[in-house]
Structures are given as structure tokens and as C-alpha cells.
Amino acid sequence: LNKSDAVYRFKKVRADDAIRKILRDFNIPIGSIPSFSTSISKIYNNKKVSEIIKDILRQVRRATGKRYMLEQRNGKISVVLRQGMKIKATFKLDGTKYNATDFIADPSRELDITDMTNSIQVVCEDKVILTKTDDKMLKRFGKLQKTISIDKKKKKEAAQNAQSELNKLSKITETGKVVLLGDDRVKAGRVLEINEKYTGLKNDYTVKDVTHTVVNGIHKMTVNMER
């Protein structure tokens, strides 16, 4: 999906139907896909297949406020809700189970405002129809604005779309990296609670990606996370 380009023209197609069509066209086994009533009307011209699906899910997020992601499960691609997948990573030693997050190695933490947007401007037919701002962040960092375009038939959804986008983007991005003893259940999209006093990693973090390695019988995982 990351390697292939495609052209699609969707006109009032349900988001879940659009995703299923794309996956079928590329012979990707389909797992579970939630029912999305969000209507997709957009032309994708020579875009990466994975980017097309991500854009469809982005439109779902704007309409519903819920974030979804692709995940491979047992050789099939599923669409899963990003929130609410919190797990407690564990490992066993001499028959005793321990919390993996109690033994953190090589921690690092970074705060960044590069991707912050604290003002959302909504445009319809080349006219600005509304602007939503996060006044607290705007006062602190200055105006960082993004413009989104909507179809005239979706004007009623403009405020909701703008607020959803603002909720996602008006923030200081906090990322972290830790090395833990391994748990096969830890994968992208899962949530781990981290409490590491030296770097200040102290919250629930979504796993962005994880690398599992086994050396001399010891299972370790390097976890990149985002708050």
C-alpha cells in the first residue's frame, strides 16, 4: 500500500465502502472495518494507496472526532479505533510476571511545536466561511494557521470539522523513546502508561512504532511513542 500509486474518483461513497474497494482492488485480505456513514466525494490522482486510505480516515475523524488507523491482524488489514487500546506490558522471569514499564532503559523525550496549528480557517467555494482558534495557544505562540476546504453541501459540518482539526493539531507534540523487556502485544496504536522521572515521561503514550528483537533468548523492544 505504501509502494503503489492509484487514481480514484469517489462521489458520495461511504467511507467504509471506499476503503473496502481500494483493498479489494489491490488484493489485500480484509479483516474488520467499522461502519462509517461519512460520505467521500474526492478525486485522488496518482496518490499512494496508503495515503488515500489515510485521507479517507482523516475525513472520518473530522466528521466524527474519532481517530482510526490501519492494522494488520492475522494476515488481514483491519481498521481499528486508536483510542482505548491501553495495555499493561509485562514479561516473565523465573515464572514471575513483572511490569515491563518498571524497567525502562535509554529513555528520551522531545517537545515540539513544528506541527502545531492553533487557527483553522474553513473555505468553501473560495470564500472563508468561518475561523476557529485556540486563543490560549495563539497568545502563547502566535498564530499558526491551516486552511481546509469543504464542499458546499457540507457547510453544516464546517464548524464540527474545524473544531475536530483544532483539537488534533493545537498542541505541543510530546514524543518519547524507551527500551523495555518485550511483550508481543505491544504494537503500533497501543497505549502504554509511562512514568520515568529523569526525562519527565509521565502520562499515557500512544505507540507510534515498535521494534522487537530477541538476542540470546532475551526479548527486548524499542518503543517510539507520542503523548
Side-chain angles (χ1 to χ4, degrees):
L1 298 178
N2 291 326
K3 298 294 184 180
S4 298
D5 295 333
V7 175
Y8 283 97
R9 181 176 182 176
F10 295 115
K11 186 176 182 180
K12 296 182 180 179
V13 177
R14 287 174 56 101
D16 50 349
D17 290 337
I19 293 172
R20 286 191 184 93
K21 174 173 174 51
I22 294 171
L23 294 177
R24 290 192 188 104
D25 287 348
F26 285 83
N27 298 317
I28 303 295
I30 300 173
S32 174
I33 298 178
S35 177
F36 297 134
S37 61
T38 305
S39 178
I40 306 298
S41 295
K42 190 169 181 177
I43 297 173
Y44 298 97
N45 189 16
N46 291 328
K47 298 291 186 182
K48 295 294 181 188
V49 178
S50 58
E51 290 303 316
I52 296 173
I53 297 175
K54 287 178 183 177
D55 185 76
I56 293 170
L57 294 177
R58 192 176 299 117
Q59 292 183 59
V60 171
R61 175 178 54 75
R62 287 178 179 174
T64 66
K66 296 180 179 180
R67 299 180 67 186
Y68 291 86
M69 59 177 281
L70 292 180
E71 180 173 279
Q72 180 177 288
R73 293 181 173 179
N74 299 319
K76 297 181 179 181
I77 290 293
S78 294
V79 176
V80 298
L81 188 67
R82 286 197 63 167
Q83 293 96 331
M85 293 190 286
K86 185 174 181 178
I87 64 171
K88 182 171 285 188
T90 61
F91 66 92
K92 282 187 176 181
L93 183 63
D94 296 331
T96 302
K97 183 181 288 187
Y98 297 91
N99 292 333
T101 54
D102 289 342
F103 303 89
I104 296 174
D106 299 328
S108 63
R109 177 175 179 248
E110 183 175 314
L111 301 175
D112 188 12
I113 66 165
T114 302
D115 297 324
M116 177 188 289
T117 296
N118 52 37
S119 176
I120 302 292
Q121 197 174 64
V122 182
V123 175
C124 182
E125 297 183 314
D126 298 324
K127 293 182 180 179
V128 177
I129 59 173
L130 66 86
T131 301
K132 279 191 172 289
T133 61
D134 183 336
D135 294 334
K136 182 179 178 181
M137 287 297 195
L138 190 149
K139 184 177 180 180
R140 184 176 176 189
F141 296 105
K143 182 181 285 189
L144 299 165
Q145 186 163 278
K146 177 181 179 180
T147 299
I148 59 175
S149 298
I150 64 169
D151 186 271
K152 64 180 180 179
K153 296 179 181 178
K154 295 186 177 182
K155 271 190 174 182
K156 293 181 180 180
E157 304 171 11
Q160 182 180 354
N161 287 347
Q163 189 61 55
S164 178
E165 198 74 357
L166 197 63
N167 292 343
K168 176 176 180 287
L169 298 176
S170 187
K171 63 180 181 179
I172 300 171
T173 301
E174 179 182 343
T175 56
K177 181 178 179 181
V178 294
V179 177
L180 306 172
L181 288 173
D183 184 330
D184 289 334
R185 297 173 301 147
V186 177
K187 58 181 72 175
R190 301 302 184 266
V191 176
L192 295 176
E193 183 178 352
I194 303 293
N195 188 353
E196 203 287 311
K197 63 181 180 180
Y198 295 106
T199 60
L201 288 167
K202 188 175 182 180
N203 217 292
D204 286 346
Y205 294 86
T206 299
V207 177
K208 295 174 64 180
D209 59 77
V210 56
T211 302
H212 291 266
T213 58
V214 178
V215 179
N216 296 327
I218 299 175
H219 179 189
K220 291 184 179 181
M221 52 191 181
T222 301
V223 186
N224 288 298
M225 313 168 297
E226 182 176 24
R227 181 173 174 178

PDB file of all heavy atoms in Angstrom, residues 171-204:
ATOM      1  N   LYS A 171      -1.594  21.715  19.799  1.00  0.00           N
ATOM      2  CA  LYS A 171      -0.939  21.107  20.952  1.00  0.00           C
ATOM      3  C   LYS A 171       0.573  21.108  20.755  1.00  0.00           C
ATOM      4  O   LYS A 171       1.077  21.222  19.636  1.00  0.00           O
ATOM      5  CB  LYS A 171      -1.411  19.667  21.145  1.00  0.00           C
ATOM      6  CG  LYS A 171      -1.049  18.750  19.989  1.00  0.00           C
ATOM      7  CD  LYS A 171      -1.540  17.331  20.218  1.00  0.00           C
ATOM      8  CE  LYS A 171      -1.138  16.422  19.055  1.00  0.00           C
ATOM      9  NZ  LYS A 171      -1.590  15.034  19.253  1.00  0.00           N
ATOM     10  N   ILE A 172       1.265  21.023  21.860  1.00  0.00           N
ATOM     11  CA  ILE A 172       2.707  20.788  21.833  1.00  0.00           C
ATOM     12  C   ILE A 172       2.894  19.284  21.681  1.00  0.00           C
ATOM     13  O   ILE A 172       2.379  18.498  22.481  1.00  0.00           O
ATOM     14  CB  ILE A 172       3.375  21.273  23.132  1.00  0.00           C
ATOM     15  CG1 ILE A 172       3.130  22.769  23.321  1.00  0.00           C
ATOM     16  CG2 ILE A 172       4.872  20.975  23.110  1.00  0.00           C
ATOM     17  CD1 ILE A 172       3.569  23.278  24.682  1.00  0.00           C
ATOM     18  N   THR A 173       3.587  18.884  20.635  1.00  0.00           N
ATOM     19  CA  THR A 173       3.800  17.458  20.404  1.00  0.00           C
ATOM     20  C   THR A 173       4.879  16.932  21.346  1.00  0.00           C
ATOM     21  O   THR A 173       5.987  17.465  21.391  1.00  0.00           O
ATOM     22  CB  THR A 173       4.226  17.200  18.950  1.00  0.00           C
ATOM     23  OG1 THR A 173       3.205  17.693  18.075  1.00  0.00           O
ATOM     24  CG2 THR A 173       4.419  15.715  18.693  1.00  0.00           C
ATOM     25  N   GLU A 174       4.528  15.925  22.108  1.00  0.00           N
ATOM     26  CA  GLU A 174       5.490  15.295  23.023  1.00  0.00           C
ATOM     27  C   GLU A 174       5.727  13.869  22.555  1.00  0.00           C
ATOM     28  O   GLU A 174       4.803  13.078  22.437  1.00  0.00           O
ATOM     29  CB  GLU A 174       4.960  15.287  24.452  1.00  0.00           C
ATOM     30  CG  GLU A 174       5.925  14.614  25.429  1.00  0.00           C
ATOM     31  CD  GLU A 174       5.381  14.560  26.846  1.00  0.00           C
ATOM     32  OE1 GLU A 174       4.431  15.312  27.159  1.00  0.00           O
ATOM     33  OE2 GLU A 174       5.901  13.750  27.634  1.00  0.00           O
ATOM     34  N   THR A 175       6.976  13.569  22.253  1.00  0.00           N
ATOM     35  CA  THR A 175       7.337  12.216  21.837  1.00  0.00           C
ATOM     36  C   THR A 175       8.389  11.656  22.774  1.00  0.00           C
ATOM     37  O   THR A 175       9.097  12.395  23.460  1.00  0.00           O
ATOM     38  CB  THR A 175       7.874  12.196  20.390  1.00  0.00           C
ATOM     39  OG1 THR A 175       8.993  13.094  20.287  1.00  0.00           O
ATOM     40  CG2 THR A 175       6.805  12.624  19.404  1.00  0.00           C
ATOM     41  N   GLY A 176       8.481  10.359  22.801  1.00  0.00           N
ATOM     42  CA  GLY A 176       9.458   9.708  23.660  1.00  0.00           C
ATOM     43  C   GLY A 176       9.918   8.392  23.075  1.00  0.00           C
ATOM     44  O   GLY A 176       9.313   7.850  22.147  1.00  0.00           O
ATOM     45  N   LYS A 177      11.013   7.891  23.628  1.00  0.00           N
ATOM     46  CA  LYS A 177      11.565   6.619  23.188  1.00  0.00           C
ATOM     47  C   LYS A 177      12.107   5.885  24.408  1.00  0.00           C
ATOM     48  O   LYS A 177      12.806   6.475  25.236  1.00  0.00           O
ATOM     49  CB  LYS A 177      12.682   6.854  22.164  1.00  0.00           C
ATOM     50  CG  LYS A 177      13.310   5.582  21.610  1.00  0.00           C
ATOM     51  CD  LYS A 177      14.368   5.943  20.578  1.00  0.00           C
ATOM     52  CE  LYS A 177      15.053   4.721  20.005  1.00  0.00           C
ATOM     53  NZ  LYS A 177      16.094   5.087  19.018  1.00  0.00           N
ATOM     54  N   VAL A 178      11.757   4.612  24.523  1.00  0.00           N
ATOM     55  CA  VAL A 178      12.245   3.794  25.637  1.00  0.00           C
ATOM     56  C   VAL A 178      12.577   2.398  25.128  1.00  0.00           C
ATOM     57  O   VAL A 178      12.060   1.960  24.099  1.00  0.00           O
ATOM     58  CB  VAL A 178      11.207   3.685  26.780  1.00  0.00           C
ATOM     59  CG1 VAL A 178      10.966   5.026  27.451  1.00  0.00           C
ATOM     60  CG2 VAL A 178       9.892   3.100  26.260  1.00  0.00           C
ATOM     61  N   VAL A 179      13.447   1.724  25.853  1.00  0.00           N
ATOM     62  CA  VAL A 179      13.736   0.313  25.599  1.00  0.00           C
ATOM     63  C   VAL A 179      13.196  -0.480  26.785  1.00  0.00           C
ATOM     64  O   VAL A 179      13.497  -0.165  27.948  1.00  0.00           O
ATOM     65  CB  VAL A 179      15.246   0.066  25.424  1.00  0.00           C
ATOM     66  CG1 VAL A 179      15.513  -1.427  25.237  1.00  0.00           C
ATOM     67  CG2 VAL A 179      15.783   0.850  24.227  1.00  0.00           C
ATOM     68  N   LEU A 180      12.369  -1.490  26.490  1.00  0.00           N
ATOM     69  CA  LEU A 180      11.739  -2.298  27.526  1.00  0.00           C
ATOM     70  C   LEU A 180      11.974  -3.772  27.238  1.00  0.00           C
ATOM     71  O   LEU A 180      12.251  -4.161  26.102  1.00  0.00           O
ATOM     72  CB  LEU A 180      10.225  -2.053  27.563  1.00  0.00           C
ATOM     73  CG  LEU A 180       9.734  -0.613  27.701  1.00  0.00           C
ATOM     74  CD1 LEU A 180       8.221  -0.568  27.511  1.00  0.00           C
ATOM     75  CD2 LEU A 180      10.111  -0.045  29.059  1.00  0.00           C
ATOM     76  N   LEU A 181      11.831  -4.594  28.258  1.00  0.00           N
ATOM     77  CA  LEU A 181      11.785  -6.034  28.024  1.00  0.00           C
ATOM     78  C   LEU A 181      10.465  -6.348  27.321  1.00  0.00           C
ATOM     79  O   LEU A 181       9.444  -5.716  27.563  1.00  0.00           O
ATOM     80  CB  LEU A 181      11.929  -6.790  29.335  1.00  0.00           C
ATOM     81  CG  LEU A 181      13.353  -6.728  29.935  1.00  0.00           C
ATOM     82  CD1 LEU A 181      13.376  -7.346  31.322  1.00  0.00           C
ATOM     83  CD2 LEU A 181      14.356  -7.431  29.028  1.00  0.00           C
ATOM     84  N   GLY A 182      10.507  -7.337  26.416  1.00  0.00           N
ATOM     85  CA  GLY A 182       9.473  -7.465  25.406  1.00  0.00           C
ATOM     86  C   GLY A 182       8.152  -8.078  25.817  1.00  0.00           C
ATOM     87  O   GLY A 182       8.084  -8.942  26.694  1.00  0.00           O
ATOM     88  N   ASP A 183       7.112  -7.597  25.121  1.00  0.00           N
ATOM     89  CA  ASP A 183       5.761  -8.149  25.223  1.00  0.00           C
ATOM     90  C   ASP A 183       5.189  -8.104  23.808  1.00  0.00           C
ATOM     91  O   ASP A 183       5.062  -7.036  23.212  1.00  0.00           O
ATOM     92  CB  ASP A 183       4.914  -7.310  26.182  1.00  0.00           C
ATOM     93  CG  ASP A 183       3.515  -7.902  26.412  1.00  0.00           C
ATOM     94  OD1 ASP A 183       2.995  -8.562  25.496  1.00  0.00           O
ATOM     95  OD2 ASP A 183       2.954  -7.683  27.502  1.00  0.00           O
ATOM     96  N   ASP A 184       4.823  -9.268  23.248  1.00  0.00           N
ATOM     97  CA  ASP A 184       4.338  -9.335  21.863  1.00  0.00           C
ATOM     98  C   ASP A 184       3.090  -8.497  21.618  1.00  0.00           C
ATOM     99  O   ASP A 184       2.777  -8.152  20.480  1.00  0.00           O
ATOM    100  CB  ASP A 184       4.032 -10.788  21.476  1.00  0.00           C
ATOM    101  CG  ASP A 184       5.289 -11.616  21.314  1.00  0.00           C
ATOM    102  OD1 ASP A 184       6.341 -11.026  21.011  1.00  0.00           O
ATOM    103  OD2 ASP A 184       5.225 -12.842  21.487  1.00  0.00           O
ATOM    104  N   ARG A 185       2.357  -8.154  22.667  1.00  0.00           N
ATOM    105  CA  ARG A 185       1.124  -7.388  22.497  1.00  0.00           C
ATOM    106  C   ARG A 185       1.379  -5.912  22.209  1.00  0.00           C
ATOM    107  O   ARG A 185       0.470  -5.192  21.784  1.00  0.00           O
ATOM    108  CB  ARG A 185       0.254  -7.509  23.746  1.00  0.00           C
ATOM    109  CG  ARG A 185      -0.226  -8.923  24.050  1.00  0.00           C
ATOM    110  CD  ARG A 185      -0.940  -8.952  25.395  1.00  0.00           C
ATOM    111  NE  ARG A 185      -0.063  -8.502  26.464  1.00  0.00           N
ATOM    112  CZ  ARG A 185      -0.481  -7.826  27.545  1.00  0.00           C
ATOM    113  NH1 ARG A 185      -1.764  -7.528  27.684  1.00  0.00           N
ATOM    114  NH2 ARG A 185       0.372  -7.459  28.477  1.00  0.00           N
ATOM    115  N   VAL A 186       2.608  -5.467  22.438  1.00  0.00           N
ATOM    116  CA  VAL A 186       2.931  -4.056  22.201  1.00  0.00           C
ATOM    117  C   VAL A 186       3.174  -3.853  20.711  1.00  0.00           C
ATOM    118  O   VAL A 186       4.101  -4.411  20.131  1.00  0.00           O
ATOM    119  CB  VAL A 186       4.167  -3.619  23.016  1.00  0.00           C
ATOM    120  CG1 VAL A 186       4.528  -2.168  22.692  1.00  0.00           C
ATOM    121  CG2 VAL A 186       3.896  -3.782  24.504  1.00  0.00           C
ATOM    122  N   LYS A 187       2.322  -3.053  20.087  1.00  0.00           N
ATOM    123  CA  LYS A 187       2.434  -2.754  18.665  1.00  0.00           C
ATOM    124  C   LYS A 187       1.884  -1.347  18.429  1.00  0.00           C
ATOM    125  O   LYS A 187       1.335  -0.717  19.345  1.00  0.00           O
ATOM    126  CB  LYS A 187       1.682  -3.795  17.840  1.00  0.00           C
ATOM    127  CG  LYS A 187       0.204  -3.919  18.164  1.00  0.00           C
ATOM    128  CD  LYS A 187      -0.483  -4.996  17.327  1.00  0.00           C
ATOM    129  CE  LYS A 187      -0.079  -6.377  17.767  1.00  0.00           C
ATOM    130  NZ  LYS A 187      -0.827  -7.435  17.031  1.00  0.00           N
ATOM    131  N   ALA A 188       2.033  -0.854  17.216  1.00  0.00           N
ATOM    132  CA  ALA A 188       1.575   0.490  16.892  1.00  0.00           C
ATOM    133  C   ALA A 188       0.097   0.656  17.215  1.00  0.00           C
ATOM    134  O   ALA A 188      -0.713  -0.227  16.961  1.00  0.00           O
ATOM    135  CB  ALA A 188       1.827   0.779  15.413  1.00  0.00           C
ATOM    136  N   GLY A 189      -0.235   1.808  17.811  1.00  0.00           N
ATOM    137  CA  GLY A 189      -1.620   2.098  18.151  1.00  0.00           C
ATOM    138  C   GLY A 189      -1.994   1.750  19.576  1.00  0.00           C
ATOM    139  O   GLY A 189      -3.013   2.229  20.084  1.00  0.00           O
ATOM    140  N   ARG A 190      -1.180   0.917  20.245  1.00  0.00           N
ATOM    141  CA  ARG A 190      -1.473   0.601  21.638  1.00  0.00           C
ATOM    142  C   ARG A 190      -1.049   1.768  22.537  1.00  0.00           C
ATOM    143  O   ARG A 190      -0.242   2.608  22.152  1.00  0.00           O
ATOM    144  CB  ARG A 190      -0.749  -0.683  22.067  1.00  0.00           C
ATOM    145  CG  ARG A 190      -1.125  -1.895  21.240  1.00  0.00           C
ATOM    146  CD  ARG A 190      -2.633  -2.167  21.303  1.00  0.00           C
ATOM    147  NE  ARG A 190      -2.992  -3.386  20.591  1.00  0.00           N
ATOM    148  CZ  ARG A 190      -3.393  -3.448  19.345  1.00  0.00           C
ATOM    149  NH1 ARG A 190      -3.460  -2.325  18.622  1.00  0.00           N
ATOM    150  NH2 ARG A 190      -3.724  -4.590  18.779  1.00  0.00           N
ATOM    151  N   VAL A 191      -1.593   1.803  23.739  1.00  0.00           N
ATOM    152  CA  VAL A 191      -1.295   2.877  24.689  1.00  0.00           C
ATOM    153  C   VAL A 191      -0.589   2.286  25.906  1.00  0.00           C
ATOM    154  O   VAL A 191      -1.054   1.291  26.483  1.00  0.00           O
ATOM    155  CB  VAL A 191      -2.585   3.601  25.131  1.00  0.00           C
ATOM    156  CG1 VAL A 191      -2.273   4.652  26.194  1.00  0.00           C
ATOM    157  CG2 VAL A 191      -3.259   4.256  23.931  1.00  0.00           C
ATOM    158  N   LEU A 192       0.533   2.893  26.268  1.00  0.00           N
ATOM    159  CA  LEU A 192       1.288   2.481  27.454  1.00  0.00           C
ATOM    160  C   LEU A 192       1.347   3.626  28.448  1.00  0.00           C
ATOM    161  O   LEU A 192       1.500   4.794  28.063  1.00  0.00           O
ATOM    162  CB  LEU A 192       2.723   2.096  27.077  1.00  0.00           C
ATOM    163  CG  LEU A 192       2.931   0.884  26.174  1.00  0.00           C
ATOM    164  CD1 LEU A 192       4.424   0.746  25.855  1.00  0.00           C
ATOM    165  CD2 LEU A 192       2.406  -0.389  26.821  1.00  0.00           C
ATOM    166  N   GLU A 193       1.244   3.298  29.717  1.00  0.00           N
ATOM    167  CA  GLU A 193       1.436   4.302  30.769  1.00  0.00           C
ATOM    168  C   GLU A 193       2.908   4.278  31.181  1.00  0.00           C
ATOM    169  O   GLU A 193       3.419   3.240  31.610  1.00  0.00           O
ATOM    170  CB  GLU A 193       0.543   4.010  31.968  1.00  0.00           C
ATOM    171  CG  GLU A 193       0.665   5.067  33.064  1.00  0.00           C
ATOM    172  CD  GLU A 193      -0.255   4.817  34.242  1.00  0.00           C
ATOM    173  OE1 GLU A 193      -1.114   3.901  34.145  1.00  0.00           O
ATOM    174  OE2 GLU A 193      -0.126   5.516  35.259  1.00  0.00           O
ATOM    175  N   ILE A 194       3.562   5.427  31.035  1.00  0.00           N
ATOM    176  CA  ILE A 194       4.989   5.533  31.345  1.00  0.00           C
ATOM    177  C   ILE A 194       5.196   6.519  32.473  1.00  0.00           C
ATOM    178  O   ILE A 194       4.588   7.599  32.502  1.00  0.00           O
ATOM    179  CB  ILE A 194       5.795   6.005  30.105  1.00  0.00           C
ATOM    180  CG1 ILE A 194       5.561   5.058  28.918  1.00  0.00           C
ATOM    181  CG2 ILE A 194       7.278   6.096  30.427  1.00  0.00           C
ATOM    182  CD1 ILE A 194       6.121   3.675  29.095  1.00  0.00           C
ATOM    183  N   ASN A 195       6.057   6.169  33.399  1.00  0.00           N
ATOM    184  CA  ASN A 195       6.420   7.079  34.499  1.00  0.00           C
ATOM    185  C   ASN A 195       7.931   7.014  34.674  1.00  0.00           C
ATOM    186  O   ASN A 195       8.457   6.119  35.331  1.00  0.00           O
ATOM    187  CB  ASN A 195       5.701   6.669  35.784  1.00  0.00           C
ATOM    188  CG  ASN A 195       5.899   7.682  36.895  1.00  0.00           C
ATOM    189  OD1 ASN A 195       6.679   8.624  36.762  1.00  0.00           O
ATOM    190  ND2 ASN A 195       5.188   7.494  37.987  1.00  0.00           N
ATOM    191  N   GLU A 196       8.627   7.971  34.030  1.00  0.00           N
ATOM    192  CA  GLU A 196      10.090   7.963  34.021  1.00  0.00           C
ATOM    193  C   GLU A 196      10.576   9.334  34.500  1.00  0.00           C
ATOM    194  O   GLU A 196      10.440  10.329  33.799  1.00  0.00           O
ATOM    195  CB  GLU A 196      10.589   7.653  32.595  1.00  0.00           C
ATOM    196  CG  GLU A 196      11.982   7.075  32.519  1.00  0.00           C
ATOM    197  CD  GLU A 196      13.033   8.129  32.822  1.00  0.00           C
ATOM    198  OE1 GLU A 196      12.955   9.217  32.233  1.00  0.00           O
ATOM    199  OE2 GLU A 196      13.931   7.864  33.668  1.00  0.00           O
ATOM    200  N   LYS A 197      11.116   9.397  35.696  1.00  0.00           N
ATOM    201  CA  LYS A 197      11.329  10.688  36.349  1.00  0.00           C
ATOM    202  C   LYS A 197      12.461  11.518  35.762  1.00  0.00           C
ATOM    203  O   LYS A 197      12.436  12.747  35.840  1.00  0.00           O
ATOM    204  CB  LYS A 197      11.585  10.471  37.841  1.00  0.00           C
ATOM    205  CG  LYS A 197      12.850   9.674  38.168  1.00  0.00           C
ATOM    206  CD  LYS A 197      12.998   9.504  39.680  1.00  0.00           C
ATOM    207  CE  LYS A 197      14.251   8.721  40.042  1.00  0.00           C
ATOM    208  NZ  LYS A 197      14.395   8.566  41.501  1.00  0.00           N
ATOM    209  N   TYR A 198      13.465  10.898  35.145  1.00  0.00           N
ATOM    210  CA  TYR A 198      14.622  11.675  34.683  1.00  0.00           C
ATOM    211  C   TYR A 198      14.300  12.515  33.447  1.00  0.00           C
ATOM    212  O   TYR A 198      14.725  13.661  33.330  1.00  0.00           O
ATOM    213  CB  TYR A 198      15.808  10.744  34.415  1.00  0.00           C
ATOM    214  CG  TYR A 198      16.318  10.072  35.672  1.00  0.00           C
ATOM    215  CD1 TYR A 198      16.053   8.725  35.915  1.00  0.00           C
ATOM    216  CD2 TYR A 198      17.031  10.788  36.636  1.00  0.00           C
ATOM    217  CE1 TYR A 198      16.491   8.106  37.083  1.00  0.00           C
ATOM    218  CE2 TYR A 198      17.470  10.187  37.812  1.00  0.00           C
ATOM    219  CZ  TYR A 198      17.200   8.845  38.024  1.00  0.00           C
ATOM    220  OH  TYR A 198      17.619   8.242  39.179  1.00  0.00           O
ATOM    221  N   THR A 199      13.555  11.955  32.506  1.00  0.00           N
ATOM    222  CA  THR A 199      13.209  12.702  31.296  1.00  0.00           C
ATOM    223  C   THR A 199      11.873  13.431  31.430  1.00  0.00           C
ATOM    224  O   THR A 199      11.592  14.361  30.671  1.00  0.00           O
ATOM    225  CB  THR A 199      13.104  11.764  30.080  1.00  0.00           C
ATOM    226  OG1 THR A 199      12.090  10.796  30.341  1.00  0.00           O
ATOM    227  CG2 THR A 199      14.425  11.064  29.820  1.00  0.00           C
ATOM    228  N   GLY A 200      11.042  13.017  32.370  1.00  0.00           N
ATOM    229  CA  GLY A 200       9.726  13.618  32.521  1.00  0.00           C
ATOM    230  C   GLY A 200       8.646  12.930  31.712  1.00  0.00           C
ATOM    231  O   GLY A 200       7.544  13.465  31.554  1.00  0.00           O
ATOM    232  N   LEU A 201       8.934  11.738  31.179  1.00  0.00           N
ATOM    233  CA  LEU A 201       7.898  10.945  30.506  1.00  0.00           C
ATOM    234  C   LEU A 201       6.928  10.449  31.574  1.00  0.00           C
ATOM    235  O   LEU A 201       7.234   9.538  32.334  1.00  0.00           O
ATOM    236  CB  LEU A 201       8.522   9.757  29.768  1.00  0.00           C
ATOM    237  CG  LEU A 201       9.324  10.060  28.502  1.00  0.00           C
ATOM    238  CD1 LEU A 201      10.134   8.843  28.089  1.00  0.00           C
ATOM    239  CD2 LEU A 201       8.397  10.489  27.367  1.00  0.00           C
ATOM    240  N   LYS A 202       5.774  11.073  31.645  1.00  0.00           N
ATOM    241  CA  LYS A 202       4.846  10.719  32.712  1.00  0.00           C
ATOM    242  C   LYS A 202       3.423  10.928  32.224  1.00  0.00           C
ATOM    243  O   LYS A 202       2.846  12.009  32.374  1.00  0.00           O
ATOM    244  CB  LYS A 202       5.106  11.568  33.960  1.00  0.00           C
ATOM    245  CG  LYS A 202       4.305  11.129  35.182  1.00  0.00           C
ATOM    246  CD  LYS A 202       4.695  11.918  36.405  1.00  0.00           C
ATOM    247  CE  LYS A 202       3.904  11.422  37.623  1.00  0.00           C
ATOM    248  NZ  LYS A 202       4.255  12.176  38.856  1.00  0.00           N
ATOM    249  N   ASN A 203       2.852   9.910  31.590  1.00  0.00           N
ATOM    250  CA  ASN A 203       1.494  10.020  31.083  1.00  0.00           C
ATOM    251  C   ASN A 203       1.152   8.741  30.321  1.00  0.00           C
ATOM    252  O   ASN A 203       1.927   7.790  30.311  1.00  0.00           O
ATOM    253  CB  ASN A 203       1.357  11.230  30.160  1.00  0.00           C
ATOM    254  CG  ASN A 203       0.000  11.915  30.333  1.00  0.00           C
ATOM    255  OD1 ASN A 203      -1.028  11.353  29.975  1.00  0.00           O
ATOM    256  ND2 ASN A 203       0.001  13.111  30.901  1.00  0.00           N
ATOM    257  N   ASP A 204       0.010   8.771  29.652  1.00  0.00           N
ATOM    258  CA  ASP A 204      -0.327   7.721  28.703  1.00  0.00           C
ATOM    259  C   ASP A 204       0.225   8.106  27.339  1.00  0.00           C
ATOM    260  O   ASP A 204       0.045   9.250  26.892  1.00  0.00           O
ATOM    261  CB  ASP A 204      -1.842   7.547  28.596  1.00  0.00           C
ATOM    262  CG  ASP A 204      -2.434   6.859  29.816  1.00  0.00           C
ATOM    263  OD1 ASP A 204      -1.659   6.294  30.615  1.00  0.00           O
ATOM    264  OD2 ASP A 204      -3.665   6.883  29.975  1.00  0.00           O
TER     265      ASP A 204
END
